[in-house]
Every structure is written in C-alpha cells, then in structure tokens.
Amino acid sequence: MKRLTLKDVAKMAGVAPSTVSFVLNGKGKQMRIRDEVASRIMQVAEKSGYEPHRMAVNLRTGQSKTLGLIVESISGSFFASLAKTIETEAERRGYNVVYCSTENNAQKGGELIRMLGRQMVDGYLITPAPGMEKEIQHLVQQHKPVVLMDSYFPAIKTPYVLINNFDGVQQGMKHLIGKGLTKIGFVMVDVKLIQIEERLRGYTTALKEHKIPVKKKHILQLQYHRQREDSLNELQAFIEANPELDAIFFSTNYLGILGLEVIARMGLKMPDDIAVLCFDDHDIFRLYPPGISVIEQPIEGIAKTAIDLLMHQLDKNSGPMKKTAVEIPGKFILRGSA
Amino acid sequence: MKRLTLKDVAKMAGVAPSTVSFVLNGKGKQMRIRDEVASRIMQVAEKSGYEPHRMAVNLRTGQSKTLGLIVESISGSFFASLAKTIETEAERRGYNVVYCSTENNAQKGGELIRMLGRQMVDGYLITPAPGMEKEIQHLVQQHKPVVLMDSYFPAIKTPYVLINNFDGVQQGMKHLIGKGLTKIGFVMVDVKLIQIEERLRGYTTALKEHKIPVKKKHILQLQYHRQREDSLNELQAFIEANPELDAIFFSTNYLGILGLEVIARMGLKMPDDIAVLCFDDHDIFRLYPPGISVIEQPIEGIAKTAIDLLMHQLDKNSGPMKKTAVEIPGKFILRGSA
DNA sequence: TATCTGTGCTAAATCGATTTTGTTGAAATT
DNA sequence: AATTTCAACAAAATCGATTTAGCACAGATA
C-alpha cells in the first residue's frame, strides 16, 4: 500500500520520470513532448490517482506553498472572520495556511516567527503586536514577503492593510454629536499601536471640529495587562467620576464588552442613561439589548487585500508594488445603544 | 544569504555530514562518536544557528510532524478553545497543527481530508460532521491515526473523546426539576449525530425518572440547514404554541442564542416567565442578563485527551490502546436564567 | 604471523520530486 | 557526403536531510 510515485506513473506510461514531470507541470509543449505521449501520461496519472509528494516538491522547488498567519488571539472574533476569508482565498491560489497565535505574549511572537521560518512558509500575514517589531523587521530585511494587517510599524517598510481608524471613529462621533450628545467619554488601552492612536485622534478631532472642548478626564486609558476584575473596577470608577457623561465611545470590542458588564452592574440603561458606541463589531453586540452600535471592520476586505499584496510579492515577475499601504473604510452600524 | 545546511556545519566542524546528523539526532553514543567530537559539533551547530530543513527531514523520514485538525466552523467558540489547547499540547510534543474547517459543507469535509492527505499530516483530529463518515472510514482503513472529538460514528473503530452528553443533560434537568419546574421544553437540531441523540435521551430519561410525562409537542426539532430568520420564527411559534412551558432546555449553544433572541423579541423575562438552560457555554451567556445557566463542555480535557490518544497511535512502539473511548463529565454552571 | 573484533568515523544510497544536460535518429543545410 | 539542426525524449544532477553499509586502524585472539 505504498504511495504512488512519479516514477511509478512513468513506468506505467512507458516513459521517463522527467517526461511525466514536464507534462504534469504544463511544460510539455515547451519540452516538445508529442501530444500523443502527453495525453497518454495525463490519462495514466488521472486514473491512477497520482498526487505529487508535497515534501519532495517543496524540497526541490524551495517553495512550500504555505502562508503563515500570525494573530494575537486565535479565539478572537477578528481572527475567526479573518481566517475564514484568508483560508478560502489562499486555497483558491493553491496555498495552504498555518495559523499561529501569540496569545498576548509579546515574547511568543518572535518564537512563532522563527518557528514558521523553520517550517519554510513562503510568506507572512501578521497582525502585529507590540513585542514583534524586531522580528518582523528581521523578516523584511531578509526579503521575506510580509503583509501586516490591522496595524503597522511606521519604521518597517512592508505593505499593510487596515481599516481607516480615524475615519471610522469620525463616523461614530458625528452620529453621537448629531444626536446632540456632547459629553462623550473615550475608553482605550495604553498599548502604543498606530490604530489606537488613530482612533484617539479621530475622537479629539471630531470634538474639536464641533467646538466641543476635549477634556482629559473624559479619556480613560486602561492598562493592557490587567486582571479583568481590576479593569472592570477602574472602568466603573471612571463612569462614576464623570456622571455628566451622556455617551461613551469604546475603542475596541474587548473594552466595549467590559463596558456592558459595568453598565449592567451599575444599573444604567442604554441609550438613555448613557449612550454606547464601540469600535469593532462582536457577536455579542448584535444580541445584547438594546443592540450595541458599532463601527464594523471590513474584515473580508482586509483579508482579500492582504492576500493580494502578499501574492504580488510572491510573484517574482510582477513589477514593483503600486499601493503598499491600504486603508479601507469601516461601516457604521446603528443599533439601539446610541 | 543562503540557508545553512547540514553539510555546511559538517565542513565547519571538520567532519562528515552523517556524523553531524548522528550527533544532532542524539544517536552519537549509539554510533560511537567520541564525546570530544560530539561536543564540538554541538557547539558549531549551536553558534551557527543551524536549523534542519523541515521539508528535507520530512521527505527522508516520511513524517511531517504535523497534525490535521478538522472542525465544523473555525469561527465557533468551541473551536477557539479547542485549537488553543491542541496547539499548545502539540507544540510541546514537537508537532505543528494545520486547521481546516468544513464550514457546514458536508462535501467539503471529504475534500479537506484528501487535501490533508496530500500534505502528509501524520495524524488527524476530527470533529465529525454528518457527511464525513466515508472519508473517515477510509482513513481508518488505511491505518492513519485518527481521533474523533465531540462525536463519533459507532461503525468506525477509532478512538474518540467527548463530553458525557447524557450525564450533562441529566445534571441540568435535575436542577430544573429540583426547582419545581415540570413543563420543560427541549430544542434540538435534526442532524443524526450521537451527541444529539444522547442529549435527547438525557432529557427524556430525566423526566421519566421523576414521573413527568414526556410530551412530543414539548420537543422541537429545528432543521439544520435553514435560514436564521426561519429558525427564529419556528422557535417563536413553538414557544407560543406551548404557553404552559416554564423552562426550555436548548441542546446547543447556537440554539440557545436563537432562543435568547426570540425570548427578547417576545418580551419574556428569564427566569420568571421562562427558565432557560443551555448545553455548551458561550461568551454571550456569561454576559447576557441575567446570565444563562449552562452545561459547560470540558474542552481542555477533551483536547488533551485527544492529543494523548493520537500520540499513542503515532508512537509505533507503544502497546495497544487501553481506553479507546473516553467520556468526560460536563460541568453545570448556575447563572441567573434557571 | 594471520585472522578476528571493535572503534570511530566516512561514503554512498535514499526519500520523490524538478530541472539541466545528453542522446539519438531524421530532416535540413552546405 | 559531411555537417547542422531539430524534434523528442532519457539520463543524471539536485534539493537537504537520514541511514545503511563500508573502511581503516588498533588491539585481541588463534
């Protein structure tokens, strides 16, 4: 019950292994194999169910036809949607995907990248976390194809795709302000990532544009590594300390979920006691009464664009990239909370 | 900037490639390599940062050191927890994991399995869906290591791990009945899978044991492939048609979430208007007021056991399996809904 | 002294493909 | 008629490891 090899097929077709290889790889014409012979080979290969040995091909060609997808958390909903699209798109192009999660472990990011390197993935799709900058830089310097998603490092010159964070927050803020709300709180984490900064910039800019003063005490920066319970308490303290707030903008869905818990705990009603708006949708927001309004990330668009950018890099004979930085607009979804 | 090969290391250490291979694979003693030479090789390999070429190793040894994990949906929360544990456990043992989802596409299951076969995974971890029986049977007949999770096919003789569905439902039912509730509805899907049947058996058995008549009209079988909206309507009709119900047991978390939506839509209050209990926990259930009581799956236990069973099969020189079928008890979590 | 045994390594075969270089006979050119 | 050219494949090198078989030398045995 051994595996059927190319040599077997060659024997069955009465030709040399190389001939079979040429034909099966579409180089028959180029190598002047007669149509008669070619079609015979095709037939034999077909009905014998021959499948090339992946590892052998990889070894010889130096291409693994595998992409590495590195995300922060494999259990997040962002990853879930991302993975689905990327897997589909990659498969369409004859690539496999291996997933890895850093699980919020800064150090693990580097290890992962090295591990994937050992495995010889042809290209990387990465949602960068704070601790991964050096490793990513290293990859780029080695001319490994890399595309960043959801965020990027200004210092690293490699393509990236993300939602237009600034514009997304603007959309939400305009809605809130349009409803006459002016005391708007902003909750964020203290990690130093581009997308977080952009969201904050969206918040302050929107206020300024409407001549609403930006108050420091209306902005809460929660620490990233923190016990869930501590964050909840801090959040509650924030709301209690600013009773004048008539709306809160949560800059990530994780923060938004914490917010829901605190708001329920305090017995506040959305949207009357307090309006809530959140960046990045989540299953819970659809369901949780009265429905949480969000800025939805165009995850499918991000994934498709990222794959395109990566494939472009993998395609040796394609010219230089035109667009190396892509920003896709988010979509404001109005539900009951704001 | 080429890759460092074993040959390079050999040259640097002044020995033959084979010698390096022996030493690095721990066969130095066996091959009578002097400690002096061995440690020199180790040093050179270490500080040169040599990493063996995965594909070459795979081709030669015939082992890919990769496991295939096939699940229904990569976006489900069940998968999320499962994947995390499996990835960790696999890594600990020097294995990688490639994930694939059938995305509720019966036919896709087979394709996936074949695709993984091409890729030469060493073993399979599968949560079986209805359409996959033949393909799995095929794998088992080829003596490929396979472990099923979450469900199994009685006809296929391969190890499996799952929650004790019967007992889990019993726990929940006993709680409901203990609170004096007797008109308990049961919502399930119509797929013919062991775990579904076991849950139903748990329901009916619990009722019978307490001398409560089992009424057919209190059991709702929703069709699997169905528009979300249709399911919602059918569910609502079911509740309206049985106003006497004082509790509903949802047999999967997907159904439970639909239930929450319908209950909210109908303006019913949990647990007073209607108590709700759900099999299989979900993020939403923790948060959704008043908190949905559930039977939680011991996902980590399932994952660890599954890996153990698979590794045992991969270990050629390990005796025959003792336990080939493992059932792990679930945990009843009391929240506000029941 | 000739043969055997064991030590400590090296040479070469192998895994299953791809790709470069060779070979052969026939037609075309000089 | 001798040399080129070309079609149509075959042979062999190659990718980077593992593993089996082999080789040279020292000491032990007959």
Side-chain angles (χ1 to χ4, degrees):
Chain A
M1 202 56 133
K2 312 140 210 161
R3 210 173 203 286
L4 204 62
T5 78
L6 179 134
K7 211 190 275 184
D8 298 327
V9 176
K11 209 163 289 176
M12 290 162 72
V15 295
S18 42
T19 312
V20 177
S21 176
F22 293 140
V23 170
L24 294 187
N25 290 311
K27 293 176 183 160
K29 283 272 169 294
Q30 189 184 326
M31 287 292 142
R32 310 170 279 229
I33 309 295
R34 270 179 300 162
D35 286 357
E36 182 201 327
V37 176
S39 65
R40 177 154 42 95
I41 291 175
M42 290 295 253
Q43 285 213 359
V44 171
E46 185 77 21
K47 79 171 199 300
S48 68
Y50 166 72
E51 288 281 358
H53 192 298
R54 269 289 202 129
M55 304 308 171
V57 176
N58 295 349
L59 176 58
R60 184 60 234 241
T61 63
Q63 293 204 339
S64 63
K65 288 288 175 183
T66 298
L67 306 179
L69 173 56
I70 302 177
V71 294
E72 274 203 63
S73 170
I74 208 168
S75 32
S77 61
F78 182 78
F79 165 73
S81 319
L82 201 61
K84 207 185 299 187
T85 311
I86 286 186
E87 196 182 76
T88 312
E89 288 296 307
E91 195 186 348
R92 251 186 2 93
R93 295 163 153 97
Y95 279 80
N96 294 101
V97 184
V98 311
Y99 309 95
C100 289
S101 55
T102 56
E103 298 304 342
N104 302 332
N105 180 341
Q107 189 202 347
K108 204 185 162 194
E111 285 176 38
L112 272 177
I113 292 180
R114 261 170 279 131
M115 199 189 72
L116 289 181
R118 256 186 266 153
Q119 268 201 70
M120 309 208 49
V121 306
D122 294 341
Y124 298 82
L125 293 163
I126 305 178
T127 62
M132 298 165 65
E133 185 157 5
K134 286 145 302 184
E135 297 291 341
I136 295 177
Q137 184 66 274
H138 192 229
L139 284 180
V140 174
Q141 280 167 352
Q142 289 182 274
H143 302 102
K144 301 268 186 193
V146 175
V147 173
L148 305 182
M149 296 173 300
D150 194 42
S151 181
Y152 63 96
F153 297 112
I156 298 184
K157 207 178 146 352
T158 199
Y160 58 82
V161 198
L162 35 57
I163 184 176
N164 187 322
N165 286 285
F166 179 80
D167 171 74
V169 174
Q170 292 277 69
Q171 285 187 55
M173 290 298 289
K174 273 182 188 141
H175 171 78
L176 290 178
I177 296 170
K179 287 186 69 172
L181 308 175
T182 56
K183 319 271 195 258
I184 305 173
F186 189 81
V187 180
M188 59 190 285
V189 283
D190 68 344
V191 277
K192 242 193 120 247
L193 281 175
I194 285 285
Q195 74 269 42
I196 304 295
E197 287 167 14
E198 279 293 288
R199 288 174 200 176
L200 179 58
R201 195 168 66 85
Y203 166 77
T204 55
T205 306
L207 289 181
K208 283 177 196 157
E209 278 177 5
H210 291 83
K211 317 270 188 227
I212 303 174
V214 178
K215 296 187 184 169
K216 257 214 179 100
K217 66 168 192 161
H218 283 173
I219 299 175
L220 174 62
Q221 292 212 15
L222 285 171
Q223 283 172 271
Y224 190 53
H225 287 294
R226 202 63 184 282
Q227 288 299 94
R228 178 188 172 72
E229 196 56 40
D230 293 340
S231 300
L232 285 173
N233 291 332
E234 199 170 339
L235 191 49
Q236 178 160 359
F238 170 73
I239 299 177
E240 282 167 351
N242 297 284
E244 73 276 18
L245 289 179
D246 42 30
I248 301 188
F249 196 122
F250 291 94
S251 65
T252 76
N253 57 19
Y254 174 72
L255 294 175
I257 292 173
L258 289 181
L260 295 186
E261 208 158 338
V262 168
I263 287 169
R265 191 192 275 184
M266 296 174 68
L268 299 175
K269 287 269 164 256
M270 297 178 287
D272 296 331
D273 294 340
I274 195 148
V276 165
L277 202 52
C278 189
F279 203 97
D280 198 0
D281 200 3
H282 191 286
D283 278 347
I284 293 177
F285 296 156
R286 260 195 16 256
L287 243 61
Y288 197 96
I292 311 302
S293 301
V294 297
I295 287 72
E296 183 192 44
Q297 297 225 45
I299 303 187
E300 199 164 324
I302 292 178
K304 279 190 176 152
T305 310
I307 287 259
D308 281 343
L309 289 173
L310 194 59
M311 288 297 158
H312 193 91
Q313 290 185 64
L314 287 168
D315 231 348
K316 289 301 188 344
N317 51 359
S318 68
M321 207 84 49
K322 279 151 292 190
K323 277 196 179 176
T324 176
V326 181
E327 290 204 350
I328 304 181
K331 188 170 133 202
F332 177 64
I333 299 182
L334 182 63
R335 298 200 179 105
S337 72
Chain B
M1 201 58 128
K2 313 141 210 161
R3 209 174 205 285
L4 205 62
T5 79
L6 178 135
K7 213 191 274 184
D8 299 328
V9 176
K11 210 163 289 175
M12 291 162 72
V15 295
S18 40
T19 311
V20 177
S21 175
F22 292 139
V23 170
L24 294 186
N25 289 311
K27 293 177 183 158
K29 284 271 170 294
Q30 188 185 326
M31 286 293 142
R32 310 172 278 229
I33 310 295
R34 270 180 301 160
D35 286 355
E36 182 202 328
V37 176
S39 64
R40 176 155 43 96
I41 292 175
M42 290 294 254
Q43 285 214 359
V44 172
E46 186 76 21
K47 79 170 196 302
S48 68
Y50 167 71
E51 288 282 354
H53 192 300
R54 270 286 201 137
M55 303 309 171
V57 175
N58 295 348
L59 176 58
R60 184 60 235 241
T61 63
Q63 292 205 338
S64 63
K65 289 286 175 185
T66 298
L67 307 179
L69 173 57
I70 303 177
V71 293
E72 274 203 63
S73 170
I74 209 167
S75 30
S77 61
F78 182 78
F79 165 73
S81 320
L82 201 60
K84 208 184 300 184
T85 311
I86 286 186
E87 196 182 79
T88 312
E89 288 296 306
E91 196 186 345
R92 251 188 359 95
R93 295 165 154 97
Y95 278 80
N96 295 101
V97 185
V98 311
Y99 309 94
C100 290
S101 55
T102 55
E103 298 304 341
N104 302 332
N105 180 340
Q107 189 203 346
K108 202 183 165 197
E111 284 177 40
L112 272 176
I113 292 181
R114 260 170 280 130
M115 199 189 73
L116 290 181
R118 255 185 269 151
Q119 269 203 69
M120 308 210 48
V121 306
D122 293 340
Y124 298 81
L125 293 162
I126 305 177
T127 63
M132 299 165 65
E133 184 157 6
K134 287 145 301 187
E135 296 292 342
I136 295 177
Q137 182 68 273
H138 192 229
L139 284 180
V140 174
Q141 280 167 353
Q142 288 182 274
H143 303 104
K144 301 268 187 194
V146 175
V147 174
L148 305 181
M149 296 174 300
D150 193 43
S151 180
Y152 64 96
F153 298 111
I156 298 184
K157 208 178 146 356
T158 198
Y160 58 82
V161 199
L162 37 55
I163 185 176
N164 188 323
N165 286 286
F166 179 79
D167 171 72
V169 174
Q170 293 277 70
Q171 286 187 56
M173 291 298 289
K174 272 183 188 139
H175 170 78
L176 291 178
I177 296 171
K179 288 186 67 172
L181 309 175
T182 56
K183 319 272 195 254
I184 305 173
F186 188 81
V187 180
M188 58 192 284
V189 284
D190 69 343
V191 277
K192 243 194 119 246
L193 281 174
I194 285 285
Q195 74 269 41
I196 304 295
E197 287 167 13
E198 280 293 286
R199 290 174 200 176
L200 178 59
R201 196 168 66 84
Y203 166 77
T204 54
T205 307
L207 290 181
K208 282 178 196 155
E209 276 178 3
H210 291 83
K211 316 273 186 226
I212 303 173
V214 178
K215 295 187 185 170
K216 258 213 180 99
K217 65 169 191 164
H218 284 172
I219 299 175
L220 174 62
Q221 293 211 13
L222 286 171
Q223 284 172 272
Y224 190 54
H225 288 293
R226 202 63 184 285
Q227 289 299 93
R228 179 190 171 71
E229 195 55 40
D230 293 341
S231 300
L232 285 173
N233 291 332
E234 200 170 337
L235 192 47
Q236 179 161 0
F238 171 73
I239 298 177
E240 282 166 351
N242 296 284
E244 73 276 17
L245 289 180
D246 41 31
I248 301 188
F249 196 115
F250 291 95
S251 64
T252 77
N253 58 17
Y254 174 71
L255 295 175
I257 292 172
L258 290 181
L260 295 185
E261 208 159 339
V262 168
I263 286 169
R265 191 192 276 183
M266 295 175 67
L268 299 176
K269 287 269 165 258
M270 297 180 285
D272 297 331
D273 293 341
I274 195 149
V276 165
L277 202 52
C278 190
F279 203 98
D280 199 359
D281 201 3
H282 191 285
D283 279 346
I284 294 176
F285 295 156
R286 261 196 12 258
L287 242 61
Y288 197 96
I292 311 302
S293 301
V294 297
I295 287 77
E296 183 193 43
Q297 296 225 45
I299 303 188
E300 200 165 322
I302 292 178
K304 280 191 174 150
T305 310
I307 288 261
D308 281 343
L309 289 173
L310 194 59
M311 288 298 158
H312 193 92
Q313 289 184 65
L314 287 168
D315 232 347
K316 288 304 192 337
N317 51 358
S318 67
M321 207 84 50
K322 279 153 287 190
K323 276 196 180 177
T324 176
V326 181
E327 291 205 349
I328 304 181
K331 188 169 133 203
F332 178 64
I333 298 181
L334 183 62
R335 298 200 179 106
S337 72

